[in-house]
Amino acid sequence: MKYYMLIVIAGLFLISVNVYAEDGQATFDSLRCGVCHKPDTGQTMPSLKDIAAVYKGKENQLLNYFKGDSEPIVSPQKKGSMKVFIEKTKILEDDQRKALADFILSH
């Protein structure tokens, strides 16, 4: 019985982690971030891979950027282009911003 409960708990944990990651992608998609931020290539804006590399170990800084509380550290010269999109991330719930950050940092 205990073994069965461990399997159920582990399964629920894995499902919740997957749903959380999907929520981040859903937020990314709903904000239309993917129009400019592609997974591997950055033509007009940095790629998700580039963003993840720069913010590695700096999740709080990325979250603060999404809140409008800090400056970007990836392509700061493009700050003006991101202004309207950061206004959208500022109104997200904390858990939505966290899921979005986790999704981006997973690249």
Side-chain angles (χ1 to χ4, degrees):
M1 184 69 169
K2 289 181 183 179
Y3 181 73
Y4 176 73
M5 288 303 289
L6 278 173
I7 291 173
V8 170
I9 291 169
L12 290 173
F13 175 75
L14 291 174
I15 290 169
S16 67
V17 168
N18 191 32
V19 168
Y20 196 64
E22 288 176 11
D23 286 347
Q25 182 169 2
T27 301
F28 182 84
D29 293 341
S30 71
L31 295 175
R32 302 189 38 86
C33 304
V35 171
C36 296
H37 298 288
K38 306 296 181 196
D40 294 323
T41 59
Q43 295 189 357
T44 59
M45 296 298 262
S47 70
L48 294 177
K49 188 176 177 181
D50 293 339
I51 296 168
V54 171
Y55 278 99
K56 183 177 181 179
K58 301 174 186 171
E59 180 182 16
N60 284 337
Q61 195 167 355
L62 181 58
L63 290 170
N64 285 333
Y65 175 59
F66 288 158
K67 290 179 189 177
D69 293 341
S70 72
E71 298 295 314
I73 59 175
V74 179
S75 301
Q77 71 278 11
K78 296 186 179 187
K79 178 182 173 184
S81 301
M82 285 296 297
K83 186 175 182 174
V84 77
F85 297 101
I86 293 304
E87 290 302 316
K88 293 178 182 181
T89 61
K90 286 167 61 173
I91 61 173
L92 293 174
E93 298 291 327
D94 287 341
D95 61 334
Q96 291 174 302
R97 274 192 297 272
K98 171 84 168 100
L100 178 60
D102 288 345
F103 171 72
I104 292 170
L105 294 173
S106 73
H107 287 79

